[in-house]
Amino acid sequence: MRERLRAVRLLLAFPFKVDTYRTAGALLLIFCGQLAGVGVAIGLALTTDGAVTRSGDRAIPGIAIFCVSALLSSLGNWGSFVLQTNLLDRATLAVDLELVQLTCSIEGIEHLERPEYLDRIEHLNQNRQNLVTVPTRAATILASGLRLALTVVLLARVEPLLALLVLAGIPLLLASTRRNRKLIQVWDEVGSPTMRLQYVLRHIAGQESGAREIRVFGIQEEFKRGYTRLWNTFTAAFDRVSLGGALLEALAAAFLALAVGFGLVLVAHQADSGAVTAGNLVLVLTLISQINLHLGILAGTANSVGGSLQTAERLLWLREYAAHDGSPDRNSSSELPASLSSGIELAHVSYRYAGADADALHDVDLFIPFGSSVAIVGENGAGKSTLVKLLLRMYQPSAGSILIDGVELGDVSTGQWRSLTSATFQDFVKFEFLLRESVGVGQLDFVDETAAVLGALQRGEASELAQIRSIGLETQLGRNFADGIELSGGQWQKIAVSRSMMRESPLLLVLDEPAASLDATTEAALFEHLTGAARRASRNAGAVSLFVSHRFGTARNADLIVVLNQGRVVETGNHATLMGNGGYYAELFQLQARSYQ
Ligand SMILES: Nc1ncnc2c1ncn2[C@@H]1O[C@H](COP(=O)(O)OP(=O)(O)OP(=O)(O)O)[C@@H](O)[C@H]1O
Ligand SMILES: [Mg+2]
């Protein structure tokens, strides 16, 4: 219940926050338009009576009321429509900005891996306009209600039985509410997930890399079929509810129409016997024909408020998640030293991905001394990237703790840790920016400093890219731009590595498979540089460089080699020790060495 109230408060306040004057104006005009509609009917009745009785006393005010009401009604309806459309555009931008800000402010990335969270975010994206329509809809409900009440009073004055007509509209209201409730449910259960999956398919098919594979494997038709299947699932579920509901609504509307017909016969009969004046007959005809319409508006608007409530609850959830669950350390107070003097320790660290039935990392105990270069090796799926992401605090360990110089990482603000770390991920991003920016975003403060960007390119073994075209750093990258150049896979990887080199002395530098696309010379130079840099950094800040590699030849120079197998650390030591042990590492190393002979 408290949740509901908070959602209502949010919905009522949101448009006022976006634009107070436009919202207030729209509300005023809605009332004006609706109530003037009743004035039109009264004006018509007076005019008719005046005409029939040839009385100017009635006809002249009748015409005046009719004209003023008709003018106010058009002005109200048209003006409120324009203001509402305008408000909707502004509010959509405000909601978009809040969504971007909220999703980016979440400090971990777990919310991007849980389908149920993704569905909620998809719902928000698809229905964001729901957040800004409630005050105007509430005004429409109030004004329509008021108009109906006035209609009832006016009808009852002519014939008390006619007042009961509004009661005949109740089944229509109930049927329409029921249909809407079911539609919301279908949207939640089927709509959001299918829309999201359709987006995934569109995204793959729309990208050059996706298009390539789709053609190589000849799966164009299957893609189309898959997309259509999703579409059909969604529309079938929607149609079922819509059609079932529409049938019930049609029955309820027919019942109301019958009741209205009965009312008309009653009044026509009375008019025939002279008990009802011609003016009242016009009044009844005008008002009665609008009952159906206004009950429909009332039901439709009231129902759409139900949809808005659901969207508001999603936004409140996201706000809450961004503030607490997704960013649990907002109040963390521990400070890290500027340089490491002991090292990084993982104590009984386990991690299980959401929805997985086994740990990706299990009970990892590991000490990484300050100033060391560390290689993490292991087969595919051993847990290397997971370990890296935990160290970078993309996730919180499911069990155990990570200590930086004895300070629990969970007690340090994520912002502080992020400013002390840098990384190249296995699935790095190709930022299609200017070359300067694509590298420079690694430390945005220095993006305009040519020496800093060139230095990063040099540390990333990518200096030759600075000579690309005649404009060097100002070259637009990416084929999405008319003047953009496309790079090779290895060149993109060099840019990603250089980006992580923008921070000259991070406490922790992580490179996950940085050499997968690099040629042998560049790879050798990169690792030589890395180990050299690690040693230099160890003298300054005791920094740790950690890289993941499948090539054992590059790992052998690391100070510490960590061997992972099925989520567990099975061996640690330097190359000589591990070879001496004759264990898993030695076995893998020899296997790889043989394949090169
Ligand atoms: N986002 C995720 N959600 C669920 N499970 C995941 C996710 N990422 C990885 N896993 C699982 O966790 C395990 C470890 O994956 P991880 O990516 O850490 O392996 P890796 O050692 O880096 O492998 P590779 O050498 O292929 O990069 C795998 O079994 C994988 O299926
Ligand atoms: Mg990996």
Side-chain angles (χ1 to χ4, degrees):
M1 192 62 199
R2 255 188 67 220
E3 277 299 297
R4 271 278 138 106
L5 283 178
R6 284 179 61 211
V8 169
R9 238 193 359 248
L10 180 142
L11 288 169
L12 289 177
F14 205 94
F16 283 100
K17 256 200 229 153
V18 173
D19 194 323
T20 312
Y21 294 117
R22 276 189 173 75
T23 308
L27 297 185
L28 202 71
L29 288 170
I30 286 171
F31 273 99
C32 174
Q34 289 288 334
L35 297 184
V38 180
V40 169
I42 295 173
L44 265 180
L46 285 174
T47 312
T48 315
D49 266 350
V52 171
T53 57
R54 294 178 183 277
S55 145
D57 287 354
R58 298 204 121 201
I60 293 168
I63 291 170
I65 291 176
F66 175 81
C67 289
V68 173
S69 301
L71 189 74
L72 285 178
S73 171
S74 317
L75 197 73
N77 292 336
W78 175 80
S80 65
F81 173 76
V82 171
L83 278 184
Q84 282 185 77
T85 314
N86 195 278
L87 190 65
L88 217 56
D89 289 340
R90 284 160 186 263
T92 307
L93 175 70
V95 178
D96 280 352
L97 286 178
E98 175 160 5
L99 286 183
V100 170
Q101 190 251 325
L102 281 176
T103 41
C104 290
S105 74
I106 296 173
E107 286 167 353
I109 55 172
E110 221 183 302
H111 63 293
L112 299 174
E113 296 185 342
R114 287 176 179 255
E116 72 268 28
Y117 290 179
L118 290 174
D119 285 345
R120 287 182 201 180
I121 293 171
E122 177 70 16
H123 171 101
L124 270 173
N125 277 324
Q126 294 280 344
N127 299 285
R128 57 201 193 285
Q129 294 201 336
N130 277 351
L131 292 170
V132 293
T133 46
V134 164
T136 45
R137 282 177 178 159
T140 307
I141 292 173
L142 259 178
S144 285
L146 215 59
R147 183 171 180 165
L148 270 175
L150 272 175
T151 302
V152 170
V153 171
L154 289 172
L155 288 176
R157 281 185 48 180
V158 180
E159 164 56 56
L161 267 180
L162 292 179
L164 294 178
L165 278 180
V166 174
L167 296 183
I170 290 177
L172 183 63
L173 278 179
L174 291 179
S176 150
T177 309
R178 179 181 171 276
R179 179 163 71 115
N180 201 59
R181 210 181 45 242
K182 296 220 158 193
L183 283 177
I184 289 178
Q185 201 181 344
V186 167
W187 175 264
D188 230 23
E189 287 168 6
V190 192
S192 293
T194 43
M195 288 268 171
R196 194 164 52 73
L197 294 178
Q198 279 187 318
Y199 169 77
V200 171
L201 289 184
R202 269 202 313 276
H203 184 68
I204 294 176
Q207 276 194 327
E208 194 259 353
S209 53
R212 242 185 286 141
E213 300 223 9
I214 289 172
R215 281 158 186 71
V216 165
F217 299 115
I219 50 175
Q220 292 94 328
E221 285 308 313
E222 186 46 38
F223 245 71
K224 276 194 227 158
R225 273 198 293 276
Y227 197 86
T228 319
R229 248 194 322 269
L230 282 172
W231 178 259
N232 289 342
T233 316
F234 176 54
T235 45
F238 235 74
D239 285 352
R240 252 195 321 275
V241 172
S242 279
L243 284 178
L247 206 70
L248 210 65
E249 265 178 79
L251 279 176
F255 174 68
L256 178 61
L258 261 178
V260 167
F262 174 77
L264 284 176
V265 170
L266 186 75
V267 179
H269 183 71
Q270 290 180 356
D272 193 37
S273 60
V276 167
T277 65
N280 277 344
L281 182 62
V282 170
L283 183 73
V284 169
L285 286 177
T286 318
L287 291 178
I288 224 171
S289 63
Q290 293 173 358
I291 285 191
N292 222 340
L293 177 75
H294 288 288
L295 275 172
I297 293 180
L298 204 60
T301 317
N303 288 333
S304 63
V305 172
S308 294
L309 272 174
Q310 196 199 24
T311 310
E313 279 166 4
R314 296 283 187 276
L315 181 62
L316 286 172
W317 163 80
L318 187 61
R319 283 181 181 174
E320 193 88 356
Y321 184 79
H324 301 291
D325 301 351
S327 316
D329 65 354
R330 286 278 149 93
N331 300 319
S332 7
S333 48
S334 294
E335 283 287 317
L336 282 177
S339 62
L340 288 180
S341 54
S342 164
I344 300 175
E345 185 183 356
L346 285 91
H348 302 291
V349 169
S350 295
Y351 185 74
R352 182 173 297 199
Y353 285 100
D357 46 17
D359 288 349
L361 277 182
H362 186 73
D363 201 20
V364 169
D365 262 328
L366 182 66
F367 182 71
I368 303 172
F370 74 98
S372 53
S373 65
V374 186
I376 301 181
V377 297
E379 294 181 323
N380 292 130
K384 304 182 293 294
S385 298
T386 308
L387 178 63
V388 156
K389 285 188 273 184
L390 281 173
L391 281 171
L392 290 167
R393 252 195 118 173
M394 296 296 148
Y395 310 119
Q396 306 286 341
S398 315
S401 49
I402 300 174
L403 305 163
I404 314 293
D405 258 5
V407 177
E408 172 92 44
L409 185 55
D411 293 340
V412 178
S413 85
T414 312
Q416 194 196 358
W417 186 230
R418 295 269 147 81
S419 69
L420 295 171
T421 54
S422 193
T424 304
F425 292 101
Q426 191 170 12
D427 46 354
F428 57 86
V429 176
K430 296 176 179 175
F431 282 117
E432 295 195 350
F433 302 157
L434 297 182
L435 173 59
R436 165 194 296 287
E437 296 162 347
S438 197
V439 174
V441 289
Q443 191 159 26
L444 202 54
D445 294 346
F446 294 112
V447 68
D448 293 323
E449 292 193 12
T450 302
V453 178
L454 289 177
L457 279 166
Q458 191 204 349
R459 290 190 290 279
E461 296 301 323
S463 291
E464 80 281 1
L465 288 177
Q467 262 87 56
I468 217 162
R469 285 191 177 167
S470 53
I471 43 176
L473 293 184
E474 314 312 320
T475 306
Q476 173 67 52
L477 304 180
R479 65 186 126 226
N480 284 315
F481 295 87
D483 58 344
I485 59 159
E486 183 53 23
L487 300 176
S488 72
Q491 287 173 323
W492 273 118
Q493 184 150 27
K494 284 181 180 183
I495 290 189
V497 172
S498 304
R499 186 156 56 238
S500 66
M501 301 288 173
M502 275 297 286
R503 290 205 181 137
E504 266 195 70
S505 47
L507 277 193
L508 173 68
L509 171 66
V510 172
L511 301 161
D512 191 353
E513 285 288 343
S517 312
L518 300 187
D519 58 56
T521 336
T522 311
E523 183 187 350
L526 178 67
F527 283 106
E528 197 173 312
H529 166 80
L530 273 180
T531 30
R535 296 212 168 96
R536 273 196 308 281
S538 76
R539 284 197 293 275
N540 302 333
V544 166
S545 319
L546 189 147
F547 61 90
V548 176
S549 180
H550 279 122
R551 298 190 209 172
F552 283 65
T554 51
R556 65 186 298 170
N557 294 324
D559 302 327
L560 175 70
I561 299 170
V562 178
V563 189
L564 281 178
N565 189 21
Q566 296 185 356
R568 292 165 194 266
V569 174
V570 287
E571 279 177 295
T572 52
N574 63 22
H575 177 71
T577 322
L578 293 178
M579 288 307 282
N581 286 353
Y584 186 57
Y585 175 84
E587 192 187 317
L588 291 178
F589 186 87
Q590 276 152 4
L591 201 70
Q592 213 172 69
R594 270 203 299 280
S595 70
Y596 283 122
Q597 280 163 6

